[in-house]
Amino acid sequence: MALEVLEALDSARTQWYHVTAIVIAGMGFFTDAYDLFCISTVSKLLGRLYYFDPSTGKPGKLPPTINNIVTGVALVGTLTGQLFFGYLGDKLGRKKVYGVTLILMVACAICSGLSFGSNAKSVIGTLCFFRFWLGFGIGGDYPLSATIMSEYANKRTRGAFIAAVFAMQGVGIIFAGFVSMFFSAIFRSYYEAPIFSKDAVLSTQPEGDLLWRLVLMIGAVPAAMTYYWRMKMPETGRYTAIIEGNAKQAAADMARVLDIEIIAEQDKLTEFKAANDYPLWSSEFFRRHGRHLIGTMSCWFLLDIAFYSQNLTQKDIFPAMGLIDKDTDMNAIGEVFQTSRAMFIIALFGTFPGYWFTVFFIEKIGRFKIQLVGFFMMSFFMFVIGVKYEYLKNDNKNLFALLYGLTFFFANFGPNSTTFVLPAELFPTRVRSTCHALSAAAGKAGAMVGAFGIQYYTLNNNQKKIKRAMMILAVTNLLGFFCSFLVTETKGRSLEEISGEDGRESELTATPNDRISGAHQDSRTEKM
């Protein structure tokens, strides 16, 4: 029971509007990554500015609880935003709520930099308040961008297009390191200061208070630049046809932006809708898709424990790798420069290539194999780092940097990309945005475990605790490897075939008994 509008979208040749959609959706992810990870480049500066205690003989440092809240509160906002906007994306339409997320991101990025107060408590409290709502807006971008891209794309290149949107996250991480490095270099040249070991007080330049605010506020720029184009995007043809039941409008919208001819089949659409009119929390949904939802949620949860632990704690790992000097051998702005430079290097040579390897190979290798290999290799490299931490730190820092960079590479040429792609393909149009939101929210729950749990082990550069953290992450990734068997390959199939919406009971939606019966039927057919 295939619909003409859906078949036309699946078979449409790749056109300029597909590229435009990737850029529009991708700029949201660029902003998401920048806003989430730029805090890692300036969090130590916040400690020097607001939590310096002369009696310790060490630079000021955010207390562990405050550090975890500053770096993790945006993740709490992201989780709630994913659930809220993901649900609205199915109820109100993808386009109607797509612009709201950007407005929230722009406003809260600016307000984060304007965090006011006369003491450390008020400044940090205001910062955390606005970063929560910044995360709330970022959360909406996950299910909406993935769903919009999957519903626009043809089935031959759908995985690569969704992965390309997500790959902009890697560009955002690089940009976060670059912007922090660029501005800290300017500030360092204009506001020279002695290192901490020579003068504890003068080593913290008061101008650093402007530096961290600038770094955070720049996150508003790319989001603001994208807003107009998001508002010009039409609603996806699949949502208009299947959810709103308006085949004529779907055909007109898609013909306006894509060079395809579509026949509006209103009578056939009514029959199509009736066959798929079951809610998310129903036995029919869980019969068809329950295993996949458990799989996408568990894999994303386990992946983000490792991925966000890597990104949020790398500022603490860099000294052990020899990428930055000891904190007492730097002044405040110099520490920002060295931290952001190290983050930029790791992102450029480890993180960034992994995303684009996925874009280029996902339609050849498939989502399932890339996810399995990625989880396994991450587990292996983290296990090696955990076991040989003292040797790598003291005797072979280059090998340490290589192994650490490879964990980033296989995270992104692996489950960090595929856990974003699969939920946008496995579920029916009626609940696609919500299911992606549930999967992404499970991921952010894992990220919070990294921010509030794993990060605790790395704050004081205690070798035993860092080793323990690496071993925990190695086991986490191994669990992700096994949970990946709950999902399945989706490449080369239409969204309706994958979800069973077109009436065909594929191996993706059939129950185990259905598949066994089908196998027996195939066997009897062959014998005949």
Side-chain angles (χ1 to χ4, degrees):
M1 189 173 51
L3 295 173
E4 175 70 22
V5 63
L6 305 182
E7 289 190 339
L9 289 170
D10 281 330
S11 59
R13 60 181 177 82
T14 300
Q15 300 173 37
W16 180 248
Y17 192 76
H18 289 125
V19 178
T20 303
I22 291 172
V23 173
I24 295 170
M27 284 304 292
F29 264 88
F30 173 93
T31 307
D32 297 349
Y34 180 91
D35 287 335
L36 285 177
F37 296 117
C38 68
I39 194 68
S40 295
T41 67
V42 297
S43 60
K44 287 194 172 185
L45 175 61
L46 293 172
R48 290 200 187 222
L49 287 168
Y50 299 113
Y51 290 89
F52 173 57
D53 182 357
S55 65
T56 63
K58 294 182 178 180
K61 181 179 290 188
L62 293 175
T65 302
I66 300 298
N67 179 81
N68 291 347
I69 293 174
V70 168
T71 57
V73 70
L75 301 176
V76 180
T78 302
L79 187 154
T80 54
Q82 286 166 337
L83 295 175
F84 179 75
F85 287 112
Y87 173 79
L88 289 184
D90 283 331
K91 293 300 178 183
L92 302 180
R94 287 59 160 132
K95 179 187 176 180
K96 287 181 181 178
V97 293
Y98 206 27
V100 177
T101 62
L102 275 189
I103 293 173
L104 198 55
M105 288 159 62
V106 170
C108 291
I110 294 172
C111 290
S112 294
L114 296 176
S115 297
F116 49 82
S118 58
N119 55 51
K121 186 176 181 180
S122 58
V123 171
I124 298 300
T126 310
L127 172 64
C128 290
F129 174 81
F130 286 118
R131 281 192 64 79
F132 171 85
W133 290 107
L134 173 66
F136 192 77
I138 290 171
D141 235 33
Y142 276 74
L144 294 173
S145 291
T147 301
I148 285 172
M149 199 66 248
S150 70
E151 293 179 354
Y152 267 124
N154 61 57
K155 63 183 180 181
R156 297 184 308 278
T157 58
R158 186 180 60 241
F161 285 177
I162 302 172
V165 169
F166 193 62
M168 292 301 290
Q169 185 181 79
V171 183
I173 296 173
I174 289 176
F175 196 68
F178 174 77
V179 167
S180 299
M181 181 172 61
F182 176 76
F183 279 102
S184 60
I186 294 174
F187 273 66
R188 188 176 63 166
S189 64
Y190 278 96
Y191 307 109
E192 296 181 0
I195 62 175
F196 181 87
S197 59
K198 291 185 178 180
D199 193 316
V201 175
L202 294 180
S203 68
T204 301
Q205 302 97 315
E207 293 81 8
D209 191 62
L210 175 60
L211 172 60
W212 73 263
R213 296 173 188 275
L214 278 175
V215 169
L216 296 187
M217 286 193 288
I218 285 174
V221 175
M225 292 171 59
T226 314
Y227 179 77
Y228 171 76
W229 297 106
R230 280 202 178 185
M231 292 301 92
K232 289 197 67 175
M233 293 180 76
E235 183 58 83
T236 70
R238 282 183 162 88
Y239 186 89
T240 303
I242 297 174
I243 308 304
E244 294 183 344
N246 192 337
K248 184 177 181 180
Q249 185 63 49
D253 286 344
M254 292 302 95
R256 181 160 56 90
V257 295
L258 295 173
D259 185 19
I260 52 178
E261 293 184 6
I262 301 174
I263 301 172
E265 304 168 291
Q266 196 63 43
D267 294 338
K268 197 172 182 181
L269 177 61
T270 303
E271 183 183 353
F272 187 97
K273 284 190 65 179
N276 294 285
D277 191 19
Y278 55 88
L280 176 64
W281 307 113
S282 65
S283 58
E284 180 66 13
F285 174 85
F286 280 95
R287 182 186 76 83
R288 294 189 180 197
H289 308 290
R291 176 172 64 94
H292 298 140
L293 184 58
I294 294 171
T296 56
M297 291 180 68
S298 61
C299 288
W300 208 333
F301 172 78
L302 294 165
L303 176 274
D304 271 10
I305 292 177
F307 182 72
Y308 279 85
S309 294
Q310 283 177 290
N311 279 282
L312 294 176
T313 64
Q314 58 183 322
K315 65 185 186 302
D316 305 308
I317 303 294
F318 288 154
M321 297 167 59
L323 290 178
I324 66 175
D325 297 329
K326 293 180 180 179
D327 54 4
T328 54
D329 294 334
M330 296 180 284
N331 59 45
I333 293 178
E335 186 172 37
V336 175
F337 175 79
Q338 291 198 28
T339 301
S340 53
R341 181 182 61 186
M343 177 177 169
F344 175 79
I345 292 170
I346 291 291
L348 184 62
F349 294 105
T351 303
F352 180 76
Y355 284 104
W356 292 99
F357 265 66
T358 301
V359 173
F360 292 127
F361 291 107
I362 193 168
E363 297 297 354
K364 297 177 181 178
I365 300 175
R367 294 82 160 135
F368 184 64
K369 289 180 181 178
I370 289 176
Q371 183 160 309
L372 285 178
V373 172
F375 265 130
F376 181 82
M377 298 306 292
M378 288 172 69
S379 181
F380 173 75
F381 290 124
M382 287 182 173
F383 179 77
V384 172
I385 291 173
V387 170
K388 293 292 185 180
Y389 184 77
E390 291 94 343
Y391 164 75
L392 294 169
K393 176 182 177 182
N394 299 321
D395 301 321
N396 204 330
K397 294 183 185 295
N398 290 335
L399 180 60
F400 193 169
L402 175 63
L403 293 174
Y404 194 64
L406 285 171
T407 63
F408 281 94
F409 176 80
F410 281 103
N412 298 305
F413 183 42
N416 191 42
S417 297
T418 56
T419 53
F420 180 79
V421 174
L422 284 167
E425 298 181 313
L426 284 167
F427 303 106
T429 307
R430 181 179 301 278
V431 293
R432 182 170 292 127
S433 179
T434 303
C435 287
H436 196 284
L438 289 169
S439 303
K444 285 302 166 284
M448 290 161 59
V449 172
F452 297 112
I454 302 299
Q455 190 173 202
Y456 166 78
Y457 288 94
T458 66
L459 289 176
N460 297 316
N461 293 321
N462 184 296
Q463 289 193 16
K464 290 184 179 179
K465 288 185 176 180
I466 292 177
K467 285 184 65 174
R468 191 177 305 165
M470 286 297 174
M471 297 302 290
I472 291 171
L473 295 180
V475 172
T476 299
N477 288 315
L478 194 60
L479 291 174
F481 175 87
F482 290 111
C483 286
S484 296
F485 288 95
L486 292 170
V487 298
T488 190
E489 187 55 69
T490 57
K491 72 172 183 176
R493 297 171 184 252
S494 72
L495 293 175
E496 289 67 42
E497 179 185 356
I498 294 167
S499 65
E501 289 175 278
D502 61 1
R504 287 181 285 180
E505 195 77 7
S506 73
E507 71 271 16
L508 303 184
T509 56
T511 63
N513 289 335
D514 292 333
R515 287 193 290 271
I516 292 172
S517 299
H520 288 326
Q521 181 64 42
D522 291 342
S523 176
R524 288 194 296 269
T525 302
E526 289 177 5
K527 289 178 181 178
M528 291 175 63

